[in-house]
Amino acid sequence: MAKQRNKKAEKARKAQQLAKNRNKNKNKAEGEMPALKDDDAMYIIPGSQTTIAQLGVPETKSPPKLYFKSRMFPGQVANTWEPYKVLERVVTKPVQHGEPKAEDDAVMGGTTEAESLETEYYEDLETDEGAVWPIVEGRIVNWSCFFALLTHVYNTLSPTLKAGIVMVTEPAWTHGYREKICQFIFEKFKPPGLYLLDAASAAACAFQIGEEAEGAARCCVVDVGYDKCDVTAWNQSEIVHVGRLISIPNCGGNTMTKNLLRLLGPKGFTYDMCEQLKRSNICEILPPITPLPTEVKVMSDKNPAATASTGVNAPPSKPVDSQSGLPRGPGLGTETGEDKVEDSEGVLDVASIVASGKASEILAKKEKEKAEKAAKKSKAGAANDAKQIKLANSQKPKATFHYTEPRAFQGVNGIGQSTNGEAGPSTALAGGEGVQVEEPHRTESISAILRKEVEVGIERFQADGEDHDMLYSIAACIHLCIQQAPPEVRSGMWDNIVIVGNGSKVRGFKESLLALLNNKYLISTQSGTIFTSELPSDFSTPIPTGANTPNPHGPNVNNLGHHAPGVNPLLVAATHASNPSLAPPGQQQYQQFGMARSSHTRYNQTPTSIKLTPPHDYLPEWKEHGFEEGAYYGVIMHAHGVFTWDQAGGEKAYMSRVNYNEEGPSAIHRFFY
């Protein structure tokens, strides 16, 4: 019996081992990814101007540190792309006996060696001249360039073979866009898994919508980009596609720069100066109801009667009674001239001082009085200066703007001429003995950054347009998007408006947009109009006189209660219509009868409150960086669960290589969030 039991146990162990091996081989064949580690995932967030990339999840969830410009340059060979512009320059190199001379070779006897001209290629890391930008207004306009950009990012990060790829997609990307990207990534990079996440979902995950309260699982995401704006309603971890507004034109950061250039261009401002002004602290967007500051005219403290008599400081249009054209006097700049009248305050009676025998005491007292008066004047001047400094930026009609301007200076070549065409020194005296020493050959350019300042007026408050056209457009789109959502979720969306995107970094943008929404769309609970839609649908629209106040026509009409004197029957009907239990006993049956004939809901009157969702206050690094790039934080938080979560049926939350081989690129839509 014991031997039989041992044989059965041995067979069970062998069967279990075979099952483990089969599962292991199956997982290996499917390219299953193990639990996500810090170096297992690669995140790509493409944008119109900048692409954010990250390899692995940092422990501190710090802001992104690796940025790529979303542009490529045409290569020397057709249909090829380069990440930087390749330039060529001609350099001169000394040769000796037909071979290039080493740098440490000395010139013997002052003989001149022959020189050869060679073409050298180098990469300019700063210029954007001739660049191709594949993403315009959130749409991919050049697929070859876009794929070259992804390849450049992938090669720079150099992920391992077991690294999955997570990419944030723009709202304007269609099903065809996602299928092309899926096919390229699996065919080119061959990752074990791919996951695509919508930019609005990433922003909602960054602000953790729905995790703090049960009724907060909905929001409205406003993504202000470079040259467009997207408005998306988000409800219960899903995007509300009905009413979604995509790629709203003239509502991005570039539009603000163009508005500043249109206003300040006649004053000598360039596009780069306006871009720096937009990013500075003195550029601010004020709410539409806020008046612009004006200059305060300082009134003259001179005696108007003396001015009239002497003619000094008279306006140019006022005639003067003088043949010489000068005003009458006395005074400085008049025909009579300035009287030499001494100030009696500083005149001392020397004779009386000497006679009193206290000359030193009197002189000391006078000096003390002068010092006290001077101190009072200096304190008053300092107080006035401090008062001017403490003024808020929105109250200053003018402010000083500091900007930088790059300047390039060419080096000096070996024949005494600078590369920009000007003459340059090729020899120098050493030790004062008249010995000539050759300067080293310099062919590279020397760049310098000049810091300048200029005064800017009230134009710095009009980045969103002189009539706030940009703010009004975004506010109207937010209202339209939320109104297309189901009525029962609109209130939660108005209370959770998420504003992201680098275009919203301009000072005062979020506060001004919130003020405009409250001023234009907020419905006050103190207003009598809020009760209009709370009436059942079979009631006629009431008028102020109360002549058409609805009268009951249901059963038990004679048992209806009467309202107390002074109570508005419209107010009672509106408040009791949504809750029949609050009605008087005689009216409850009629309320129920009336409600049965109407499809009334209490969610139609929105918004009664409008709020912006605040960012997290427990991330110190994000406080300094700003939460405008919150989509990055949302994607790294969301993707951690994607690669480690299994569905009940065994299918992963991400698209594996097996799914791609069996179903093709069209399977990516099942793994899109």
Side-chain angles (χ1 to χ4, degrees):
M1 297 295 294
K3 291 182 179 180
Q4 292 180 357
R5 286 195 298 269
N6 292 336
K7 288 181 179 180
K8 290 182 179 179
E10 186 67 22
K11 289 182 179 180
R13 283 194 298 269
K14 289 183 179 180
Q16 187 177 4
Q17 186 65 26
L18 290 175
K20 288 183 179 180
N21 293 336
R22 284 195 299 267
N23 293 334
K24 183 178 180 180
N25 295 333
K26 180 181 178 181
N27 294 337
K28 186 176 180 181
E30 292 183 357
E32 181 180 355
M33 182 177 298
L36 184 65
K37 299 180 181 179
D38 292 342
D39 56 349
D40 275 349
M42 176 179 172
Y43 306 93
I44 304 176
I45 307 177
S48 300
Q49 293 292 304
T50 306
T51 296
I52 302 175
Q54 175 69 32
L55 182 60
V57 179
E59 295 181 359
T60 59
K61 307 296 187 295
S62 58
K65 296 180 175 59
L66 189 57
Y67 295 85
F68 297 86
K69 288 189 176 181
S70 302
R71 48 94 173 113
M72 300 293 288
F73 295 90
Q76 300 292 336
V77 183
N79 298 327
T80 60
W81 300 91
E82 297 291 340
Y84 306 105
K85 188 172 184 178
V86 179
L87 302 176
E88 62 179 25
R89 57 190 173 191
V90 178
V91 296
T92 59
K93 292 185 178 180
V95 295
Q96 186 177 10
H97 303 296
E99 296 180 356
K101 185 182 71 172
E103 295 181 358
D104 56 350
D105 289 345
V107 179
M108 302 300 295
T111 59
T112 304
E113 302 292 340
E115 294 182 349
S116 65
L117 300 178
E118 296 183 3
T119 302
E120 185 179 70
Y121 295 92
Y122 68 98
E123 293 181 343
D124 193 340
L125 305 181
E126 300 296 335
T127 183
D128 292 334
E129 184 180 358
V132 178
W133 304 84
I135 304 177
V136 178
E137 294 185 357
R139 296 180 175 87
I140 301 176
V141 297
N142 192 322
W143 283 99
S144 177
C145 183
F146 178 73
F147 289 153
L149 175 64
L150 294 182
T151 305
H152 170 59
V153 173
Y154 186 88
N155 294 336
T156 303
L157 296 180
S158 299
T160 60
L161 296 177
K162 63 178 182 179
I165 297 179
V166 182
M167 179 180 291
V168 176
T169 64
E170 291 287 340
W173 292 5
T174 61
H175 285 62
Y177 282 33
R178 294 195 286 267
E179 291 180 4
K180 283 185 177 181
I181 295 173
C182 174
Q183 181 179 3
F184 174 80
I185 290 178
F186 274 108
E187 296 293 340
K188 181 72 174 180
F189 308 136
K190 296 178 173 54
L194 173 65
Y195 186 75
L196 300 182
L197 181 66
D198 192 275
S201 298
C205 294
F207 285 80
Q208 294 184 359
I209 301 298
E211 296 186 7
E212 298 180 357
E214 181 180 355
R218 54 189 66 94
C219 67
C220 180
V221 180
V222 182
D223 189 354
V224 184
Y226 175 73
D227 46 11
K228 53 87 180 178
C229 177
D230 301 316
V231 182
T232 306
W234 199 78
N235 178 38
Q236 299 294 338
S237 302
E238 292 183 359
I239 295 174
V240 182
H241 294 279
V242 178
R244 188 180 192 184
L245 300 174
I246 299 173
S247 297
I248 306 169
N250 300 325
C251 291
N254 190 36
T255 304
M256 302 184 198
T257 307
K258 291 181 179 179
N259 290 335
L260 293 175
L261 181 61
R262 179 171 50 84
L263 296 173
L264 298 173
K267 298 183 179 180
F269 277 66
T270 62
Y271 182 88
D272 185 64
M273 293 174 60
C274 293
E275 181 69 21
Q276 296 183 46
L277 174 62
K278 183 189 69 174
R279 299 171 183 264
S280 65
N281 292 329
I282 67 172
C283 180
E284 184 177 359
I285 295 181
L286 303 178
I289 58 176
T290 304
L292 297 177
T294 56
E295 295 186 13
V296 180
K297 296 183 180 180
V298 181
M299 301 300 294
S300 176
D301 55 353
K302 295 184 178 181
N303 189 350
T307 303
S309 62
T310 60
V312 180
N313 295 333
S317 59
K318 184 177 180 178
V320 292
D321 298 335
S322 176
Q323 296 179 357
S324 62
L326 297 175
R328 299 185 302 271
L332 182 63
T334 61
E335 187 178 19
T336 306
E338 185 178 7
D339 290 345
K340 304 297 181 180
V341 180
E342 296 183 357
D343 188 6
S344 60
E345 182 181 358
V347 178
L348 300 177
D349 191 354
V350 179
S352 60
I353 292 175
V354 173
S356 63
K358 301 179 180 180
S360 60
E361 296 179 0
I362 295 175
L363 293 176
K365 184 178 179 180
K366 290 291 184 181
E367 293 295 335
K368 184 178 180 181
E369 291 177 356
K370 289 183 178 180
E372 290 178 355
K373 290 182 180 180
K376 289 182 180 180
K377 290 182 179 180
S378 62
K379 289 182 180 180
N384 293 332
D385 295 341
K387 186 176 180 181
Q388 292 292 334
I389 295 175
K390 290 181 180 179
L391 286 177
N393 179 59
S394 58
Q395 299 175 353
K396 297 178 181 178
K398 292 183 179 181
T400 303
F401 165 55
H402 298 272
Y403 69 96
T404 58
E405 186 179 28
R407 291 287 180 89
F409 301 94
Q410 300 296 331
V412 180
N413 56 22
I415 56 177
Q417 296 290 330
S418 62
T419 55
N420 58 4
E422 299 178 358
S426 59
T427 60
L429 295 178
E433 299 178 357
V435 179
Q436 293 185 348
V437 181
E438 273 194 75
E439 285 192 349
H441 296 269
R442 294 182 297 175
T443 56
E444 62 272 10
S445 61
I446 303 174
S447 61
I449 297 179
L450 302 180
R451 182 179 175 88
K452 297 183 178 181
E453 65 176 26
V454 66
E455 195 175 46
V456 187
I458 60 174
E459 295 86 359
R460 69 186 194 275
F461 301 121
Q462 301 175 352
D464 59 331
E466 298 181 22
D467 298 328
H468 304 280
D469 298 335
M470 180 176 170
L471 282 183
Y472 276 101
S473 299
I474 297 177
C477 292
I478 294 174
H479 179 263
L480 178 61
C481 180
I482 297 179
Q483 289 301 112
Q484 299 299 320
E488 62 272 10
V489 302
R490 296 174 188 170
S491 178
M493 293 179 180
W494 281 112
D495 289 338
N496 290 279
I497 296 180
V498 176
I499 301 179
V500 294
N502 288 326
S504 62
K505 279 187 175 182
V506 181
R507 182 179 179 182
F509 177 84
K510 300 176 184 178
E511 294 78 6
S512 300
L513 181 59
L514 178 62
L516 178 59
L517 290 173
N518 281 283
N519 185 45
K520 190 174 182 180
Y521 299 108
L522 184 66
I523 299 177
S524 176
T525 56
Q526 305 297 328
S527 176
T529 58
I530 191 174
F531 301 109
T532 303
S533 66
E534 299 295 335
L535 295 174
S537 59
D538 59 341
F539 287 174
S540 59
T541 304
I543 59 177
T545 59
N548 59 342
T549 301
N551 294 319
H553 300 286
N556 300 326
V557 175
N558 297 328
N559 296 331
L560 295 177
H562 298 281
H563 303 296
V567 176
N568 188 354
L570 297 178
L571 179 62
V572 175
T575 55
H576 294 169
S578 59
N579 195 349
S581 62
L582 298 178
Q587 295 186 6
Q588 292 182 6
Q589 296 182 0
Y590 170 70
Q591 292 283 355
Q592 296 174 1
F593 176 75
M595 289 295 295
R597 296 165 48 190
S598 64
S599 58
H600 170 70
T601 177
R602 62 185 179 88
Y603 297 101
N604 289 334
Q605 285 297 319
T606 56
T608 56
S609 64
I610 303 176
K611 302 176 184 178
L612 297 181
T613 304
H616 304 299
D617 55 356
Y618 54 83
L619 299 172
E621 295 182 355
W622 281 95
K623 280 185 178 180
E624 300 177 359
H625 182 78
F627 230 75
E628 287 78 15
E629 295 176 348
Y632 168 79
Y633 179 78
V635 70
I636 63 177
M637 295 296 295
H638 180 77
H640 179 77
V642 168
F643 290 104
T644 58
W645 174 71
D646 292 335
Q647 294 183 357
E651 189 176 42
K652 301 293 184 180
Y654 61 90
M655 183 177 180
S656 64
R657 196 180 304 166
V658 175
N659 298 125
Y660 176 77
N661 294 334
E662 293 179 353
E663 305 178 44
S666 59
I668 190 62
H669 306 303
R670 292 194 289 109
F671 305 97
F672 175 72
Y673 179 69

